[in-house]
Every structure is written in structure tokens, then in C-alpha cells.
Amino acid sequence: MTLSPDIASQLDLVALPTDLYIGGKWMPGAAGQRIDVFDPSTGTAIAAVADASIEDAMAAVAAAHAAGPGWAATAPRQRSEILRRCFELMIENKDMLARLISLENGKSLTDAQGEVTYAAEFFRWFAEEAVRLNGDLSTAPSGANRILVQHQPIGVAVLVTPWNFPAAMATRKIAPALAAGCTVVLKPATETPLTAYALAALYAEAGVPDGVVNVLTTRKSGPVVSAMLHDPRIRKLSFTGSTEVGRRLLHEAADTVISCSMELGGNAPFIVFDDADLDAAIDGAMIAKMRNGGEACTAANRFLVQSGIAPEFSRRLAERMGALKVGPGYEASTQCGPLINQDAVERIEGLVSEATQRGATVLTGGKRLERDGFYFPPTVLSGVPTDAAMSREEIFGPVAAITTFETEQEAIAAANDTEYGLISYVYTSDLGRGLRVSEKVDSGMVGLNRGVVSDPAAPFGGTKQSGLGREGAHHGILEFCETKYIAVSW
Ligand code: NAD
């Protein structure tokens, strides 16, 4: 099954792969079922991908397991060169991949292009890490022997990814796994599978051997992933998605004591002190809130603004948000695309109405747009109570919730008053205060006078219920390694 010819030609491709990718072969799946993929900009179906059964998943596990020893034994330099080629092919195909992401996810072309670059950079970074996986050697304190420590590939990894970054959430896992010498089975989100399959074709072209990367889509995520996690050939789960599903998968992984890396939800505070550079804070707020139309785990969820600067900050943020051009993601002039689906529109509408019923004021936006597709306009609310639903949950859309505070202590307490701990943003001109607050906020990452922090060379991840482990940096490759200690006498 391929895409319709007009969309295929818009994407400069005759045909995009939509079948399962197992052991280097494209397969329709044992049961022959398909899953519709929708264009959120119009709400229409654009393609149908294969729907994997448990039997298909077991075939993928078998293929990854069979390819494991050969890939682990491949010289690090050779693995590195293949990863480097994946980076180059992604950049050569940047325009096509960006259109595809925009088409199935709805994000603006600008955001989609940014995502492709970011996603490709994980291959470049981990091509460099593949040849620097150093162990260490020391003498035991007793002097009796040497302590030799090695990092070995952990084995076959199951990778489960969300729809909000269809390329980057996959490459942030595949690149370090392959660099470490692991083979993988990727299960992308059913909403955005086309990018994952297009990338699989590029990996094959780059020289990734058959069976090293397998990709399957399924409507039965729960049973299919559970079956893989109960197979003794699987040694790793790397998951990015909601905290709710992450908790469930941690329970599943406990049965076979599988190593888990979990990148889960967020509820980022964006703290602005009276002494902040207001222009910089507004620019940072726009990026932290509106990158990906607000559908990002790192999205600023709670704007905590000191009372002296709050009226001006709120007015200017509403002005900038209200001026954004909303439309289909793949139209060049669009700055804010649609949400992923109708459920998302209804959920956000519910959050806005609950906050306004409890006293929040709408400064711009606030009501869904009546047009085909899944649109909610950029919205700013001031006076949002700290116990409103949108202060407690991920908004995951283009809605900025502003609350004021008086003192530094109050800001820190409010920032930490959540079960999440992915990222916090702090804006102040006082470096001492900036570093003091950065140390006290309970999150894995802090943007200090910066609205975006994601970087393949930096450790990405959260504290509390935002996750376990880190992706990117040197930490990312270690998530796919077992540490082996050899006591040596010589
Ligand atoms: P989700 O948890 O609904 O789905 C994520 C993936 O899990 C998808 O592939 C889905 O098909 C699969 N899945 C769903 N139920 C499952 C089950 N029972 N068993 C196995 N797999 C299952 O999340 P989403 O809606 O796709 O993505 C949005 C969420 O992802 C947000 O909470 C966001 O914060 C989070 N996210 C986190 C990061 C991070 O790095 N921390 C990055 C991006 C997104």
C-alpha cells in the first residue's frame, strides 16, 4: 500500500513505504489489517499502514536477535561510518522528511525542518560516540588485582515513541542503540508512522544491515509491546510518551527485570522575575510555549511571573500569540498548525473552560476554530489558579497559563509543586539568583534565560514522574550498555 499519487508527488516520492520493516524486508503483516493515517490539517485519511500482530512482533524480535551478534562484533569505526551516513542522508532528504512530518503531524514546516536537523544530529553525535566508548582500569585498593571495566551492548532493545516528534524521538534512541552495538525493534505512534518508515528506508540505504533496525506499527500497542517485553531475548525498553503509559510499561518490564529508560510527561514552570530582560523573556516564552504548536514535553506549561512585571509580560505575550498565523502545517506562511486530533481539541477546550470558570481571564484566543482539521488558536490566560486543571496537567497545546508570584521562595515552591520534573525555565538579569533558583528547581533540565535547551550533546531527561535515565550526550549511549567488571590478576 502506498500514498495517493498527488501527495506522493508533493513529497517528491513515487511511493512511501507503509508496510512493516522486519529483517530488512517490507511486509504487509500476518493478519493483513491496515491502520489509517490522518492529515490533522484537514482531518482526511492520507495513507494506511500495516497493523502488526503479536506474531509480526515476534518475527521482528527474532530478526533483531539474529542480527545482534554480527552488529555487536562490527568494528566501532564501521558502525560509526554507517551512522554518519544516516546523518548525511537525513540532511540530503531534509525537505521531503519535513513535508512528511508536517503532513502527518500537523506542525509548521519551520518546526518540521528544525525537527529533521535535530533528529539527524543524533546520528552525527552518536557516530562520534561509537568510537569513544571507553572503559576504565584501576588497581584494587588491597593491591590484590586490577579492576577492568567495560561497556558492552545490552542486547535487543524495544523502542516506543510518541507522535509529537516523529523523527527525533526515534533517532534519539536508534542512534545511541546502534552506536553501542545493539539491535532494535521500533514501535512508533500510530498517528505518525510514515516518517518512521521513510527513515527506515534511509537507514537501509546508509548500510544498516538487515535486522539491525526493525519497525512495526500496530493498533494493539498494549498486547504487542507486552509480548515483546515478556520475551527473554529483549533486554532493554526505551520509551518516550505519557507518564500514564510509562507507569504501565514499568510494571510490564518488572516481570522480566528489563532495563528501562523512560522519557515521560512534563509540566514546565517558566519563571520570570521583575529584573528579567523583558524582550528576551517574551522571545523565550514564544519558543518555550509555541515550538511544535505547544505539543512538546518541554513546553512551558505554567508561566509564573513576578507581580511587578506581570501586566506588561501578559500584554506583550498575548499580542505576540494573537498575531501568529494559524493554518495547515505544510503551508509556508503557517506559524501554528493544527493539533494532532479531535480529542486533543476537546481536551484543551475543556482545560480552558475549567480555568475561566475558576476566575482566569482570556487575553487572546480561547475558543476552537470552526474549520476542517483540528485547530485551537494560540491562547493566553492570566490569573490562572495554581490548582486549576491546566496548572496540574500537561496542556500539550498552544495555551499559555499565567500566574503571578511575589517572592523567590514562593516561585520555587510553586515551580516544584508538581509530580513532574522534566524542565524549568528561569528568566532574570541577576546571575546569582538565576543559578540559585536553577539549583533549587526539581527538574532534570533548566533553561536559564533560554527558551529551548534540546541538544544532542546534552543529557535530556527528567526527575520525579518525568522519567528515568537520560538521552543524548555521553549518557545516551550508556543507557544501551551493560557495565562489565573483570577482576584481573597478572
Ligand atoms: P502516549 O503515552 O499515549 O504514547 C506513546 C507511545 O506509546 C505510542 O507509540 C503509543 O502507541 C504507545 N502506547 C500507548 N499505550 C500503550 C500501551 N498500553 N503499551 C505500550 N505502548 C503503548 O503518548 P503520546 O500521546 O504519543 O505523546 C505525548 C506524551 O509524550 C506527552 O505526555 C509528552 O510529554 C510525552 N513526551 C515526552 C518526551 C520526553 O522526552 N520526556 C518527549 C516527547 C513526548
Side-chain angles (χ1 to χ4, degrees):
M1 174 90 185
T2 55
L3 280 171
S4 67
D6 56 325
I7 290 177
S9 66
Q10 184 196 339
L11 288 164
D12 292 333
L13 280 184
V14 179
L16 279 171
T18 55
D19 280 345
L20 311 177
Y21 185 62
I22 298 176
K25 296 193 174 58
W26 296 99
M27 300 182 168
Q33 306 285 316
R34 312 297 293 186
I35 311 167
D36 281 337
V37 182
F38 293 90
D39 169 3
S41 296
T42 59
T44 54
I46 48 168
V49 295
D51 184 7
S53 60
I54 290 179
E55 191 183 338
D56 297 315
M58 288 302 116
V61 170
H65 188 250
W71 182 246
T74 301
R77 173 64 67 207
Q78 199 178 333
R79 280 193 260 123
S80 168
E81 298 288 348
I82 291 172
L83 293 181
R84 172 77 199 193
R85 189 71 193 123
C86 289
F87 161 71
E88 288 163 358
L89 282 175
M90 282 189 72
I91 297 300
E92 282 166 30
N93 288 279
K94 183 172 167 179
D95 192 49
M96 175 278 286
L97 290 169
R99 280 178 188 285
L100 189 53
I101 291 171
S102 184
L103 181 67
E104 64 176 349
N105 168 281
K107 69 178 72 178
S108 73
L109 268 180
T110 312
D111 277 340
Q113 278 161 348
E115 181 182 347
V116 179
T117 307
Y118 175 54
E121 284 293 342
F122 284 101
F123 280 112
R124 176 150 71 168
W125 175 261
F126 285 108
E128 292 157 355
E129 287 295 294
V131 290
R132 314 232 189 290
L133 192 51
N134 302 332
D136 47 50
L137 177 66
S138 58
T139 301
S142 66
N145 60 285
R146 301 291 193 278
I147 295 170
L148 173 62
V149 179
Q150 269 188 326
H151 300 293
Q152 297 186 317
I154 195 165
V156 182
V158 169
L159 315 178
V160 180
T161 52
W163 48 262
N164 66 335
F165 288 95
M169 296 304 98
T171 63
R172 199 163 80 176
K173 300 183 188 304
I174 293 172
L178 268 54
C182 297
T183 57
V184 305
V185 179
L186 168 70
K187 194 216 81 61
T190 36
E191 291 87 348
T192 56
L194 300 174
T195 305
Y197 285 131
L199 286 173
L202 291 186
Y203 307 149
E205 197 181 331
V208 174
D210 292 351
V212 170
V213 177
N214 305 275
V215 185
L216 53 87
T217 37
T218 180
R219 217 190 297 266
K220 301 165 281 295
S221 296
V224 163
V225 172
S226 172
M228 291 196 281
L229 295 182
H230 286 88
D231 186 305
R233 292 170 292 187
I234 298 299
R235 295 310 317 141
K236 178 79 198 181
L237 168 66
S238 180
F239 172 78
T240 298
S242 61
T243 295
E244 186 191 343
V245 174
R247 276 191 210 109
R248 220 175 298 160
L249 292 181
L250 283 168
H251 280 287
E252 296 269 357
D255 290 340
T256 35
V257 192
I258 286 176
S259 160
C260 291
S261 300
M262 312 300 279
E263 296 289 349
L264 309 177
N267 181 355
F270 189 105
I271 306 171
V272 188
F273 287 98
D274 281 346
D275 63 10
D277 173 337
L278 190 54
D279 291 341
I282 294 288
D283 286 347
M286 289 303 290
I287 299 172
K289 180 75 251 177
M290 293 307 293
R291 190 167 73 108
N292 237 28
E295 293 176 314
C297 54
T298 51
N301 211 61
R302 295 169 293 151
F303 285 89
L304 306 174
V305 188
Q306 205 162 14
S307 57
I309 207 172
E312 182 70 354
F313 178 89
S314 307
R315 186 188 62 73
R316 286 180 58 180
L317 185 63
E319 207 172 274
R320 287 277 293 275
M321 292 277 281
L324 291 176
K325 172 135 184 0
V326 180
Y330 39 77
E331 280 180 8
S333 58
T334 294
Q335 293 168 301
C336 178
L339 296 170
I340 189 71
N341 54 32
Q342 190 59 27
D343 284 354
V345 176
E346 282 160 20
R347 198 180 53 74
I348 287 175
E349 200 169 48
L351 289 175
V352 170
S353 110
E354 195 250 13
T356 50
Q357 276 163 25
R358 302 189 55 191
T361 307
V362 176
L363 302 183
T364 188
K367 288 210 161 45
R368 78 165 79 176
L369 300 179
E370 294 305 333
R371 57 188 285 179
D372 288 342
F374 312 126
Y375 295 91
F376 199 88
T379 294
V380 178
L381 301 175
S382 64
V384 176
T386 51
D387 59 352
M390 68 168 59
S391 304
R392 317 301 309 172
E393 299 170 20
E394 279 189 296
I395 299 170
F396 233 62
V399 177
I402 301 175
T403 307
T404 54
F405 70 87
E406 300 297 334
T407 67
E408 188 178 308
Q409 287 68 21
E410 203 188 312
I412 293 166
N416 290 340
D417 183 21
T418 167
E419 70 191 20
Y420 296 100
L422 189 61
I423 183 166
S424 310
Y425 302 90
V426 181
Y427 273 77
T428 173
S429 301
D430 176 343
L431 185 60
R433 167 184 266 169
L435 291 172
R436 195 166 60 233
V437 174
S438 296
E439 283 189 354
K440 289 200 176 135
V441 287
D442 190 352
S443 60
M445 302 176 286
V446 178
L448 177 52
N449 294 324
R450 271 193 72 77
V452 64
V453 304
S454 303
D455 186 329
F460 187 105
T463 62
K464 297 194 273 183
Q465 296 197 33
S466 285
L468 300 169
R470 295 292 181 267
E471 293 190 319
H474 186 59
H475 306 64
I477 194 167
L478 293 177
E479 299 275 328
F480 289 93
C481 294
E482 280 291 10
T483 298
K484 179 167 285 174
Y485 151 52
I486 306 171
V488 199
S489 292
W490 69 65

